[in-house]
Amino acid sequence: RFKVETVLTGLEVPWSIVFDPTGNMLFTERSGNLSILEKGARKHRVIGEIDEVVHQGEGGLMGLALHPDFSSNGFLYLSYTYRLRSNLANKVVRYRLANGVLSEKKTIISYLPGSAVHNGCRLRFGPDRKLYVTAGDAAERDLAQDPSSLGGKILRINDDGSVPKDNPDPSSAIFALGVRNPQGIDWHPVAGLLWMTHSSYHR
């Protein structure tokens, strides 16, 4: 049996939710806010307003992941849409969260294709402690099969943004291609297989 309970209201497109080791809930809103609902609390508070975020269409502040050693290093990862000259793009950044304050911003991936749709932007650390990043095709479907583009792919990187030596191609962050707009990823608890959901449409 399941019980449906409203936890928070009045949010603007909440997108990604994670829990820290003490049970606090952190979440993003596509408009650019990173917030925390502390365990046992009834009201959330904003801990970061990411000014660079462009909330347009399906784009905005989306992915959120905590480092496997978050308790000791405070590393928090975000992926979001921003404006690159006259175009939209996506990036992945890392912050240190300490005492409710974000600091030490570091760009992990500086450019992923972006548009008002098909941005991907899910972040998850896998059982291998590598950071997996979903990247949409930015509505350019040919990018998903193009190995020279990171669009329409699942990427696998080290926690500092470097490429793992045991990737399918040791010179590339690409882990899987041809997926267009991957949204959710998780791992089978026994077999260790990566499962993915994606959103796409055809005209």
Side-chain angles (χ1 to χ4, degrees):
R1 294 181 179 180
F2 294 91
K3 178 183 178 182
V4 177
E5 180 180 355
T6 299
V7 177
L8 291 173
T9 60
L11 304 179
E12 188 173 359
V13 196
W15 205 90
S16 190
I17 300 172
V18 300
F19 291 86
D20 71 15
T22 62
N24 299 322
M25 183 178 79
L26 295 100
F27 62 93
T28 60
E29 295 174 81
R30 280 213 314 246
S31 56
N33 287 344
L34 170 67
S35 298
I36 186 169
L37 177 67
E38 295 180 345
K39 186 177 180 180
R42 293 185 176 273
K43 186 177 180 180
H44 70 286
R45 59 185 175 88
V46 176
I47 56 177
E49 298 178 7
I50 313 302
D51 294 335
E52 193 179 20
V53 167
V54 174
H55 184 200
Q56 180 175 329
E58 297 175 3
L61 177 59
M62 292 176 278
L64 168 63
L66 304 182
H67 192 281
D69 298 323
F70 177 79
S71 294
S72 58
N73 62 28
F75 286 160
L76 176 151
Y77 296 75
L78 298 171
S79 58
Y80 56 81
T81 309
Y82 72 106
R83 192 165 301 283
L84 181 62
R85 295 183 287 276
S86 60
N87 299 312
L88 295 178
N90 294 295
K91 65 166 57 177
V92 179
V93 300
R94 186 184 77 191
Y95 288 91
R96 188 185 299 276
L97 177 63
N99 299 317
V101 177
L102 295 178
S103 64
E104 300 180 29
K105 179 181 178 181
K106 174 182 172 63
T107 299
I108 299 298
I109 299 178
S110 60
Y111 173 80
L112 296 171
S115 76
V117 297
H118 283 210
N119 289 293
C121 280
R122 182 69 63 189
L123 302 179
R124 290 293 302 275
F125 275 93
D128 55 3
R129 296 173 61 89
K130 304 300 182 184
L131 179 60
Y132 290 75
V133 180
T134 71
D137 64 7
E140 298 289 340
R141 63 179 63 192
D142 291 343
L143 293 184
Q145 298 290 350
D146 183 355
S148 68
S149 171
L150 296 181
K153 313 292 193 301
I154 295 177
L155 313 178
R156 179 178 183 261
I157 57 176
N158 294 317
D159 62 358
D160 62 358
S162 60
V163 176
K165 295 180 179 178
D166 59 347
N167 265 12
D169 178 352
S171 66
S172 173
I174 295 173
F175 183 73
L177 52 74
V179 289
R180 296 203 64 204
N181 189 32
Q183 294 283 304
I185 50 176
D186 207 348
W187 285 262
H188 190 285
V190 178
L193 299 175
L194 188 153
W195 293 73
M196 175 196 72
T197 60
H198 68 100
S199 170
S200 63
Y201 62 89
H202 300 278
R203 293 179 177 174

